[in-house]
Amino acid sequence: MRHRSIHWFRKGLRLHDNPALLAATRDCTELYPIFILDPWFPRNMRVSANRWRFLLEALKDLDENLKVLNSRLFVVRGTPAEVFPVLFRKWKVTRLTFEVDTEPYSKQRDAEVECLASEHDVQVIQKVSNTLYDVDRVIAENNGKPPLTYVRMQTVLASLGPPTRPVQAPTPEDMSDCCTPWKPAYEERYGVPTLEELGQDPESLGPHLYPGGESEALQRLDLHMKRTVWVCNFKKPDTEPNSLSPSTTVLSPYVKFGCLSARTFWWRLAEVYRGKPHSAPPVSLHGQLLWREFFYTAGAGIPNFSRMEGNPVCVQVDWDDNAAYLKAWSEGRTGYPFIDAIMTQLRTEGWIHHLARHAVACFLTRGDLWISWEEGQKVFEELLLDADWSLNAGNWQWLSASAFFHQFFRVYSPVAFGKKTDKNGDYIRKYLPFLKRFPAEHIYEPWKAPRSVQQAAGCIIGRDYPKPIVVHEVVRNENIQRMKVAYAKRGPPSTVDAKEPGQSALKKSRKRAAAAATPSVADIFTKITKSGKN
């Protein structure tokens, strides 16, 4: 049978390592690649102009790459439930292909689309390629429960073997008997929209540091893979959260949107590592991809993963509801220059270093402001180019000591941690230029500078820049006591993974890690915070 196929692009905005796209081209006479601008997302998620720009650039690049195959991208407006019945009839579709997505809304949406396809006698093919492994299989291998420790995750994955190798991008030969009907009138109806059409103000955009798209992703990957010594020696805790240029790859936005396949990234790293001494998970670049896999698996297997209530692995904490504190934190007005510089970089550029995320997340939650991690999750969801539902929820639970990490007495200092890698405060001077004339001894704590120094710097604390929103040394100790109370009120062990709840999970993780002569995740975290705590 010769098919008329729709391939539905969602996260996998690429041609390389896209097995569902290849499946669409087989025995195909007409191929319709589509992307649906689903109004559910802007209604239910906050998305910054920077992130919209990245998405639109990725779509434009995808369209250009499809043109090489004598195809085009159709950008369709509407909900999938409304769109597909119309397209099935209009294009006489017999097959629909797409990449598996494990997020709650996506699973519900895809199940509904499968039912619609069945009603229209349309074959549905789904392929795993957003993650290194099929997360459902990982959960099945772990007795039907998502692993709750990184070490347990490594054990399960070791039993599955290495990730599947990526598939090749489709070639013109693959499309030789397949065409994409395209009419000039389609440019207006199905073309990639502008920011203005999406209601976004181009004037609100930050600097254009990370252009979207598969072409850019593969170029950046190639550049990094040529740095063989750096790749082999990479250890995440040794990178700098406040370097003036990124000390990591910044490939995360490209992996999030699927412009770069995680499997392609994994196997390119494996080629660089081959025959050379290199760092190992959890701190290596392979380790960073496994962190992604860990949180994707947790997000797929833990109910209510992005919320505190109803989440069986999350400590229930009586967080404060303080809108003024939350607003000051999100806008970079806490009076702590290191924290405010990070949040300013996030708001303007759409990316911050992983350890910078640690610092501001700890500050908002258990460290200083005692605001729920769910509120921080929303801000990151809006502003981060690489905001990914599973990773965002998992990391916020980790940093708030609500799940996965339980040493709540390990607190990042909003002063000492930044000084560790930037004593002169150059990062602060870049993102908070009104503080740039403060001497190094006062740049992290300008409120302690004598009035004469503040006057000479042209910035009076309390007038031109706020005083500290809280006294860290005081609230840190108060919040540790509050966390002790929350932990004391915890209910029975989690039903998600009863063998590894809470502190016992951490102890087992440490024992396994020691047996393998590998530092535990908790030890890695301790190393990161050792000189920046309190």
Side-chain angles (χ1 to χ4, degrees):
M1 178 181 176
R2 302 285 286 172
H3 286 277
R4 290 184 178 90
S5 299
I6 288 178
H7 176 70
W8 182 15
F9 285 99
R10 293 102 68 86
K11 286 183 176 179
L13 302 181
R14 63 179 183 273
L15 301 187
H16 76 278
D17 191 29
N18 197 329
L21 176 60
L22 285 180
T25 66
R26 296 191 184 102
D27 301 317
C28 178
T29 58
E30 292 183 0
L31 173 67
Y32 296 88
I34 73 169
F35 179 87
I36 299 177
L37 279 174
D38 185 348
W40 183 91
F41 287 99
R43 280 202 307 262
N44 292 274
M45 300 173 66
R46 295 184 291 184
V47 181
S48 67
N50 284 337
R51 198 149 120 238
W52 275 120
R53 174 174 64 182
F54 191 98
L55 171 62
L56 297 183
E57 289 175 343
L59 295 177
K60 288 177 184 176
D61 183 70
L62 182 58
D63 187 37
E64 291 299 318
N65 291 338
L66 284 167
K67 287 179 183 178
V68 178
L69 301 176
N70 295 316
S71 185
R72 291 296 299 269
L73 179 68
F74 295 74
V75 179
V76 186
R77 285 75 165 168
T79 67
E82 296 167 342
V83 163
F84 276 115
V86 174
L87 298 184
F88 290 157
R89 290 190 297 266
K90 180 179 181 179
W91 294 337
K92 298 180 175 59
V93 173
T94 60
R95 181 166 58 196
L96 170 65
T97 67
F98 52 87
E99 180 181 67
V100 170
D101 194 338
T102 58
E103 294 178 12
Y105 166 72
S106 303
K107 291 165 75 172
Q108 179 181 351
R109 172 201 63 193
D110 294 350
E112 185 177 0
V113 168
E114 282 192 274
C115 289
L116 291 171
S118 177
E119 292 171 8
H120 289 80
D121 295 322
V122 174
Q123 175 192 20
V124 174
I125 298 176
Q126 299 186 56
K127 298 287 186 179
V128 173
S129 56
N130 182 48
T131 48
L132 296 174
Y133 296 84
D134 180 343
V135 298
D136 287 337
R137 186 182 175 196
V138 174
I139 292 171
E141 289 289 326
N142 195 49
N143 300 317
K145 305 162 189 173
L148 294 186
T149 69
Y150 190 93
V151 174
R152 178 60 190 162
M153 182 75 175
Q154 287 179 290
T155 301
V156 174
L157 296 185
S159 70
L160 298 177
T164 302
R165 286 187 177 272
V167 300
Q168 296 298 313
T171 65
E173 288 73 26
D174 294 320
M175 295 283 290
S176 58
D177 298 324
C178 180
C179 70
T180 295
W182 183 269
K183 302 174 183 178
Y186 286 173
E187 290 289 352
E188 183 175 353
R189 185 184 304 175
Y190 297 120
V192 178
T194 63
L195 277 171
E196 290 87 346
E197 289 176 67
L198 297 174
Q200 299 297 311
D201 180 8
E203 295 296 321
S204 66
L205 292 168
H208 197 202
L209 302 177
Y210 313 111
E214 177 183 19
S215 300
E216 180 74 18
L218 293 176
Q219 289 174 12
R220 287 174 177 254
L221 178 67
D222 286 342
L223 286 173
H224 285 300
M225 293 306 99
K226 291 175 182 176
R227 305 165 64 195
T228 56
V229 174
W230 182 83
V231 168
C232 288
N233 291 335
F234 182 92
K235 294 181 180 179
K236 194 62 169 278
D238 294 341
T239 58
E240 299 178 4
N242 47 7
S243 57
L244 297 186
S245 58
S247 58
T248 57
T249 65
V250 197
L251 287 172
S252 54
Y254 300 93
V255 176
K256 177 266 181 297
F257 281 95
C259 302
L260 174 62
S261 155
R263 301 192 304 198
T264 296
F265 194 0
W266 175 279
W267 284 103
R268 288 292 300 276
L269 287 169
E271 292 171 9
V272 174
Y273 290 156
R274 188 176 296 117
K276 306 180 189 73
H278 58 84
S279 56
V283 298
S284 65
L285 285 170
H286 263 176
Q288 306 317 297
L289 290 172
L290 291 181
W291 276 120
R292 179 178 185 268
E293 206 74 8
F294 175 77
F295 285 127
Y296 256 97
T297 306
I302 297 173
N304 302 306
F305 188 60
S306 62
R307 302 197 298 271
M308 180 179 75
E309 292 187 10
N311 181 337
V313 303
C314 185
V315 177
Q316 304 298 297
V317 178
D318 186 18
W319 302 108
D320 288 343
D321 182 11
N322 192 319
Y325 277 12
L326 176 62
K327 192 170 190 291
W329 172 83
S330 67
E331 295 177 354
R333 296 184 293 100
T334 68
Y336 284 95
F338 178 56
I339 300 299
D340 294 343
I342 294 170
M343 295 305 294
T344 301
Q345 182 188 16
L346 172 60
R347 189 165 290 279
T348 56
E349 298 178 3
W351 181 88
I352 51 177
H353 187 282
H354 186 65
L355 298 180
R357 303 178 196 202
H358 281 212
V360 296
C362 183
F363 186 89
L364 178 69
T365 58
R366 62 188 172 85
D368 293 80
L369 301 187
W370 202 254
I371 303 294
S372 171
W373 59 268
E374 292 182 57
E375 297 300 328
Q377 178 183 233
K378 294 174 187 175
V379 174
F380 274 23
E381 176 183 271
E382 175 187 2
L383 300 178
L384 278 173
L385 293 177
D386 59 17
D388 201 322
W389 183 83
S390 299
L391 277 69
N392 197 21
N395 278 307
W396 272 99
Q397 288 173 76
W398 183 291
L399 268 300
S400 63
S402 296
F404 309 114
F405 178 79
H406 303 280
Q407 295 186 32
F408 55 80
F409 47 86
R410 297 282 183 184
V411 175
Y412 284 100
S413 165
V415 175
F417 186 57
K419 284 183 178 180
K420 176 185 173 185
T421 50
D422 180 22
K423 288 184 172 58
N424 192 51
D426 293 334
Y427 176 81
I428 293 171
R429 299 175 202 280
K430 176 180 179 179
Y431 291 103
L432 305 180
F434 45 84
L435 296 177
K436 66 182 179 182
R437 292 168 60 190
F438 273 88
E441 60 265 33
H442 295 300
I443 190 72
Y444 283 90
E445 300 172 284
W447 64 90
K448 291 184 177 180
R451 180 81 175 190
S452 60
V453 172
Q454 296 180 33
Q455 289 173 332
C459 179
I460 303 300
I461 305 306
R463 184 189 73 189
D464 305 313
Y465 178 68
K467 295 179 180 179
I469 195 169
V470 292
V471 179
H472 173 71
E473 295 77 10
V474 174
V475 296
R476 171 193 176 277
N477 294 330
E478 292 175 350
N479 291 346
I480 287 175
Q481 296 305 313
R482 296 174 84 175
M483 286 300 291
K484 286 182 179 178
V485 171
Y487 269 69
K489 290 181 179 179
R490 293 173 71 188
S494 162
T495 57
V496 174
D497 195 340
K499 292 182 180 179
E500 295 190 80
Q503 293 288 358
S504 65
L506 187 59
K507 292 176 182 177
K508 290 187 177 184
S509 171
R510 283 174 166 171
K511 289 180 180 178
R512 292 193 190 99
T518 302
S520 73
V521 174
D523 291 338
I524 295 297
F525 185 86
T526 300
K527 177 184 176 184
I528 295 170
T529 58
K530 186 175 181 181
S531 63
K533 64 179 184 294
N534 300 329

